[in-house]
Amino acid sequence: MNNSRDSIAVRLLRLLARGVFRYPRLFFFPQIVLFGLAVYYTITHLQFSTSRNDLVGSDKKYHQNYLRFKKEFPGQDDIVAVVESENPEKNRQFVERLGAKLQAETNLFGEVMFNNDLKMLGRKALLFLPEESLGELQSTLRDYRPFVSQFAKATNLNSIFALINLQFRTARRESNAENASLVRALPALRRIVDQADDALKRSGVPPSPGITALFDPNQESADQIYITSGKGQIYIVDAKAKTEDLNEQAVERLRQLVRETETEVPGLNVGITGEPVLESDEMKQSQRDSTVATILSLIVCALIFIFSYNEAARPIKATLALIIGLGYTIGYTTLAVGHLNILTITFFPILIGLAIDYGVHLITRFEEELRKGKSREEAMEKAMVNTGLGIVTGCLTTAAAFYAMAFTNFKGIQEMGIITGGGMVICLIPMMTFLPVLLMRGGHDEKIATVSKEDATPALRARIERYWLERPVQVITLTIVICALCLTQFYKVFFDYNLLHMQSKGLPAVMFERKLIDSSAKSVLFAAVVATNAQEAVALEHKITNLTTVASVDTMGQFLTGDPQTKLAKVSEIKKDVSTIHFQEIDLSPVNIPELSLTLFGLKGYLGLAIDTVEKEGDKELFRELTLLRKSIDKFRF
């Protein structure tokens, strides 16, 4: 009988219980359809946000400053290929080949940088060099000018060596500028031959020898030509997607190009990293891990339920009702938030562990009433009304705790609170409607009654509970002792503000990021400071440099202040020195192998004559260089 003193909640629950009993199909089939619609809506509309910026509230001042900075200085995050080996030439071969492939992908990549090419800085690039570097550049150009002027006439590999033969043939015995330049060029010629020989052993389009052939690979000047780290053992290719929307496509394309280049230049340790790579890989790993955790938690909860109740039917029914609730929740998430990020994607296991309790309490009370001899209808009404009131209260209090997270300042936490709090309430719906319909079907009442009559001795669980409840003093004392022991470890708990510690150590992108961090003297963490004028930039530079937490400062202030006349004069001299050098148009046709072989054979003969002469004169260093070049030609020809 209804009690007029019953609360509104109790009356509503009683009406719900009677509605479920009288109209079971109304509570069953529509929910199946709604579940399907929710899943379909999620598949077609839910997005996955990989950007860490989406975890931060847009109303935060520091984030607004960052957005203004990005707008003022537009640019995409770096996607970095890390090439590692102890062979500088193999590293060079790899980055040159990969860099050329990336530069050809103009639809995806807007900027590609794999060497310190001043051309990237535009027509005024020389003004960015220190005066000392300009002086060294001018000295090097003057030393190599006769050699460069002579061989600027070359159009292909064969013509280069033909010109060398000409110099040997026309050289005079006495020293002059041309002879001196040829002698200085011998190591470079040998490296060109060695690089050409190496290119024949590899598939793909070989890179040009480049300016590195002019330098000793063991010198620091050669390392400075490329972007290196770890004392030259790590070479770097830096690329940027044209737009932020193309980041994921650019990452996948870079992976493909890296794999292709690895077949051409094997034997290196190569990987990619960078903010877009980390975001993409971490999101994919979070999706995989969350899927595994969701399935595992669902199975484990169901097995514990089955084991505890010593039967499968009702626990499985509760699990099915929970799955319906999860389907509703993901549809609600798509509608209310529209996306999942690396944090909110973990809500599934949380909901499973909490929402399954609804079914546990409802089934336990339902079976308890059946053991008392109540009919199914009476047992279900008692369970839905009396225990249901506690279930609803517990649901709302837990949901309120989660919804409180929506008032925090961290956007990722806000969305987590909205999704999980709403999920708690939504999962209650099928547990209080769909599950009772399932419980009303099945023939387990006699088994429950039989077990109840035959089991005259208290169950083990009941004896443990009685032992525990009958000794309150000991329980309180033990609890206090455990709490005291835990407090002794409190000093070990601290806040870790290093975001790098949140990364998954097993991800290749994280491993290569660590390699770059460990191999470089500079940190990957940086701050950007914007000044309104050159004088303010200089003042800020001095202040920031004096901070003990700052390792180094790179600023444009040095280029915008002071008198540039000295640099301009030096640049004018360099331009005057190279103004008479004109390079011929490159011959892109395939090399004529017989002709090249004959030219090299002639050069080998000239080298033999030169070696005999130098050996008699006792110039050991020149003798060594001539001998090494002759050996390289022999190796190249055969």
Side-chain angles (χ1 to χ4, degrees), residues 205-225:
V205 179
S208 299
I211 197 173
T212 53
L214 299 177
F215 299 97
D216 185 344
N218 296 321
Q219 293 178 346
E220 290 184 4
S221 56
D223 291 337
Q224 291 174 359
I225 295 170

mmCIF file of all heavy atoms in Angstrom, residues 205-225:
data_model
loop_
_atom_site.group_PDB
_atom_site.id
_atom_site.type_symbol
_atom_site.label_atom_id
_atom_site.label_comp_id
_atom_site.label_asym_id
_atom_site.label_seq_id
_atom_site.Cartn_x
_atom_site.Cartn_y
_atom_site.Cartn_z
ATOM 1 N N VAL A 205 67.980 8.598 -55.724
ATOM 2 C CA VAL A 205 68.711 9.711 -56.331
ATOM 3 C C VAL A 205 69.793 10.168 -55.369
ATOM 4 O O VAL A 205 69.495 10.595 -54.253
ATOM 5 C CB VAL A 205 67.760 10.881 -56.658
ATOM 6 C CG1 VAL A 205 68.549 12.039 -57.262
ATOM 7 C CG2 VAL A 205 66.665 10.426 -57.593
ATOM 8 N N PRO A 206 71.094 10.103 -55.762
ATOM 9 C CA PRO A 206 72.157 10.492 -54.836
ATOM 10 C C PRO A 206 72.212 12.002 -54.686
ATOM 11 O O PRO A 206 71.932 12.743 -55.632
ATOM 12 C CB PRO A 206 73.424 9.958 -55.514
ATOM 13 C CG PRO A 206 73.085 9.945 -56.969
ATOM 14 C CD PRO A 206 71.619 9.620 -57.052
ATOM 15 N N PRO A 207 72.591 12.495 -53.528
ATOM 16 C CA PRO A 207 72.731 13.946 -53.347
ATOM 17 C C PRO A 207 74.032 14.438 -53.966
ATOM 18 O O PRO A 207 74.987 13.682 -54.134
ATOM 19 C CB PRO A 207 72.754 14.104 -51.827
ATOM 20 C CG PRO A 207 73.335 12.818 -51.327
ATOM 21 C CD PRO A 207 72.849 11.758 -52.279
ATOM 22 N N SER A 208 74.070 15.694 -54.306
ATOM 23 C CA SER A 208 75.292 16.294 -54.813
ATOM 24 C C SER A 208 76.328 16.349 -53.695
ATOM 25 O O SER A 208 75.972 16.394 -52.509
ATOM 26 C CB SER A 208 75.010 17.704 -55.327
ATOM 27 O OG SER A 208 74.077 17.661 -56.388
ATOM 28 N N PRO A 209 77.640 16.341 -54.059
ATOM 29 C CA PRO A 209 78.667 16.391 -53.015
ATOM 30 C C PRO A 209 78.490 17.576 -52.076
ATOM 31 O O PRO A 209 78.668 17.456 -50.879
ATOM 32 C CB PRO A 209 79.964 16.484 -53.814
ATOM 33 C CG PRO A 209 79.643 15.851 -55.117
ATOM 34 C CD PRO A 209 78.209 16.171 -55.389
ATOM 35 N N GLY A 210 78.116 18.717 -52.636
ATOM 36 C CA GLY A 210 77.854 19.859 -51.774
ATOM 37 C C GLY A 210 79.117 20.495 -51.235
ATOM 38 O O GLY A 210 80.248 20.066 -51.490
ATOM 39 N N ILE A 211 78.937 21.524 -50.442
ATOM 40 C CA ILE A 211 80.062 22.289 -49.907
ATOM 41 C C ILE A 211 80.861 21.502 -48.880
ATOM 42 O O ILE A 211 82.000 21.825 -48.572
ATOM 43 C CB ILE A 211 79.558 23.620 -49.304
ATOM 44 C CG1 ILE A 211 80.731 24.589 -49.130
ATOM 45 C CG2 ILE A 211 78.838 23.361 -47.981
ATOM 46 C CD1 ILE A 211 80.311 25.969 -48.711
ATOM 47 N N THR A 212 80.268 20.416 -48.322
ATOM 48 C CA THR A 212 80.977 19.608 -47.325
ATOM 49 C C THR A 212 82.222 18.981 -47.893
ATOM 50 O O THR A 212 83.135 18.640 -47.146
ATOM 51 C CB THR A 212 80.058 18.494 -46.795
ATOM 52 O OG1 THR A 212 79.528 17.771 -47.913
ATOM 53 C CG2 THR A 212 78.948 19.052 -45.971
ATOM 54 N N ALA A 213 82.263 18.789 -49.207
ATOM 55 C CA ALA A 213 83.464 18.201 -49.816
ATOM 56 C C ALA A 213 84.675 19.104 -49.641
ATOM 57 O O ALA A 213 85.817 18.635 -49.728
ATOM 58 C CB ALA A 213 83.219 17.936 -51.302
ATOM 59 N N LEU A 214 84.482 20.392 -49.383
ATOM 60 C CA LEU A 214 85.595 21.317 -49.239
ATOM 61 C C LEU A 214 86.230 21.250 -47.859
ATOM 62 O O LEU A 214 87.302 21.814 -47.649
ATOM 63 C CB LEU A 214 85.130 22.754 -49.500
ATOM 64 C CG LEU A 214 84.560 23.048 -50.892
ATOM 65 C CD1 LEU A 214 84.095 24.489 -50.957
ATOM 66 C CD2 LEU A 214 85.575 22.753 -51.984
ATOM 67 N N PHE A 215 85.558 20.567 -46.910
ATOM 68 C CA PHE A 215 86.039 20.593 -45.544
ATOM 69 C C PHE A 215 86.417 19.197 -45.078
ATOM 70 O O PHE A 215 85.871 18.190 -45.534
ATOM 71 C CB PHE A 215 84.963 21.157 -44.590
ATOM 72 C CG PHE A 215 84.577 22.571 -44.915
ATOM 73 C CD1 PHE A 215 83.453 22.829 -45.690
ATOM 74 C CD2 PHE A 215 85.332 23.623 -44.461
ATOM 75 C CE1 PHE A 215 83.083 24.129 -45.983
ATOM 76 C CE2 PHE A 215 84.970 24.930 -44.754
ATOM 77 C CZ PHE A 215 83.846 25.182 -45.512
ATOM 78 N N ASP A 216 87.316 19.160 -44.123
ATOM 79 C CA ASP A 216 87.665 17.910 -43.456
ATOM 80 C C ASP A 216 86.486 17.509 -42.571
ATOM 81 O O ASP A 216 86.077 18.285 -41.712
ATOM 82 C CB ASP A 216 88.919 18.126 -42.608
ATOM 83 C CG ASP A 216 89.416 16.825 -41.970
ATOM 84 O OD1 ASP A 216 88.637 15.852 -41.926
ATOM 85 O OD2 ASP A 216 90.583 16.798 -41.522
ATOM 86 N N PRO A 217 85.909 16.302 -42.748
ATOM 87 C CA PRO A 217 84.736 15.924 -41.956
ATOM 88 C C PRO A 217 85.007 15.846 -40.465
ATOM 89 O O PRO A 217 84.080 15.805 -39.667
ATOM 90 C CB PRO A 217 84.366 14.544 -42.528
ATOM 91 C CG PRO A 217 85.601 14.049 -43.183
ATOM 92 C CD PRO A 217 86.319 15.254 -43.698
ATOM 93 N N ASN A 218 86.283 15.828 -40.074
ATOM 94 C CA ASN A 218 86.601 15.792 -38.650
ATOM 95 C C ASN A 218 86.672 17.176 -38.035
ATOM 96 O O ASN A 218 86.825 17.323 -36.843
ATOM 97 C CB ASN A 218 87.947 15.071 -38.438
ATOM 98 C CG ASN A 218 87.872 13.612 -38.856
ATOM 99 O OD1 ASN A 218 86.875 12.947 -38.627
ATOM 100 N ND2 ASN A 218 88.928 13.128 -39.502
ATOM 101 N N GLN A 219 86.564 18.227 -38.871
ATOM 102 C CA GLN A 219 86.621 19.589 -38.363
ATOM 103 C C GLN A 219 85.241 20.072 -37.953
ATOM 104 O O GLN A 219 84.225 19.655 -38.495
ATOM 105 C CB GLN A 219 87.197 20.531 -39.428
ATOM 106 C CG GLN A 219 88.662 20.267 -39.745
ATOM 107 C CD GLN A 219 89.171 21.185 -40.840
ATOM 108 O OE1 GLN A 219 88.392 21.823 -41.531
ATOM 109 N NE2 GLN A 219 90.481 21.233 -40.989
ATOM 110 N N GLU A 220 85.222 20.995 -36.998
ATOM 111 C CA GLU A 220 83.947 21.550 -36.537
ATOM 112 C C GLU A 220 83.256 22.331 -37.641
ATOM 113 O O GLU A 220 82.031 22.390 -37.700
ATOM 114 C CB GLU A 220 84.188 22.466 -35.334
ATOM 115 C CG GLU A 220 84.602 21.718 -34.066
ATOM 116 C CD GLU A 220 84.725 22.661 -32.888
ATOM 117 O OE1 GLU A 220 84.418 23.848 -33.051
ATOM 118 O OE2 GLU A 220 85.140 22.196 -31.813
ATOM 119 N N SER A 221 84.035 22.933 -38.541
ATOM 120 C CA SER A 221 83.432 23.732 -39.610
ATOM 121 C C SER A 221 82.540 22.886 -40.498
ATOM 122 O O SER A 221 81.531 23.369 -41.018
ATOM 123 C CB SER A 221 84.529 24.388 -40.445
ATOM 124 O OG SER A 221 85.430 23.412 -40.946
ATOM 125 N N ALA A 222 82.903 21.606 -40.687
ATOM 126 C CA ALA A 222 82.062 20.733 -41.507
ATOM 127 C C ALA A 222 80.763 20.403 -40.789
ATOM 128 O O ALA A 222 79.692 20.344 -41.401
ATOM 129 C CB ALA A 222 82.816 19.447 -41.841
ATOM 130 N N ASP A 223 80.835 20.203 -39.469
ATOM 131 C CA ASP A 223 79.625 19.893 -38.705
ATOM 132 C C ASP A 223 78.650 21.056 -38.691
ATOM 133 O O ASP A 223 77.437 20.867 -38.610
ATOM 134 C CB ASP A 223 79.998 19.520 -37.260
ATOM 135 C CG ASP A 223 80.733 18.189 -37.190
ATOM 136 O OD1 ASP A 223 80.577 17.388 -38.130
ATOM 137 O OD2 ASP A 223 81.481 17.976 -36.216
ATOM 138 N N GLN A 224 79.186 22.270 -38.758
ATOM 139 C CA GLN A 224 78.326 23.441 -38.679
ATOM 140 C C GLN A 224 77.476 23.620 -39.935
ATOM 141 O O GLN A 224 76.541 24.409 -39.942
ATOM 142 C CB GLN A 224 79.177 24.686 -38.449
ATOM 143 C CG GLN A 224 79.817 24.727 -37.067
ATOM 144 C CD GLN A 224 80.775 25.877 -36.898
ATOM 145 O OE1 GLN A 224 80.989 26.647 -37.824
ATOM 146 N NE2 GLN A 224 81.361 25.999 -35.722
ATOM 147 N N ILE A 225 77.826 22.915 -40.997
ATOM 148 C CA ILE A 225 77.052 23.040 -42.228
ATOM 149 C C ILE A 225 75.672 22.413 -42.061
ATOM 150 O O ILE A 225 74.690 22.891 -42.616
ATOM 151 C CB ILE A 225 77.814 22.386 -43.396
ATOM 152 C CG1 ILE A 225 79.107 23.157 -43.649
ATOM 153 C CG2 ILE A 225 76.972 22.350 -44.668
ATOM 154 C CD1 ILE A 225 80.039 22.478 -44.601
#
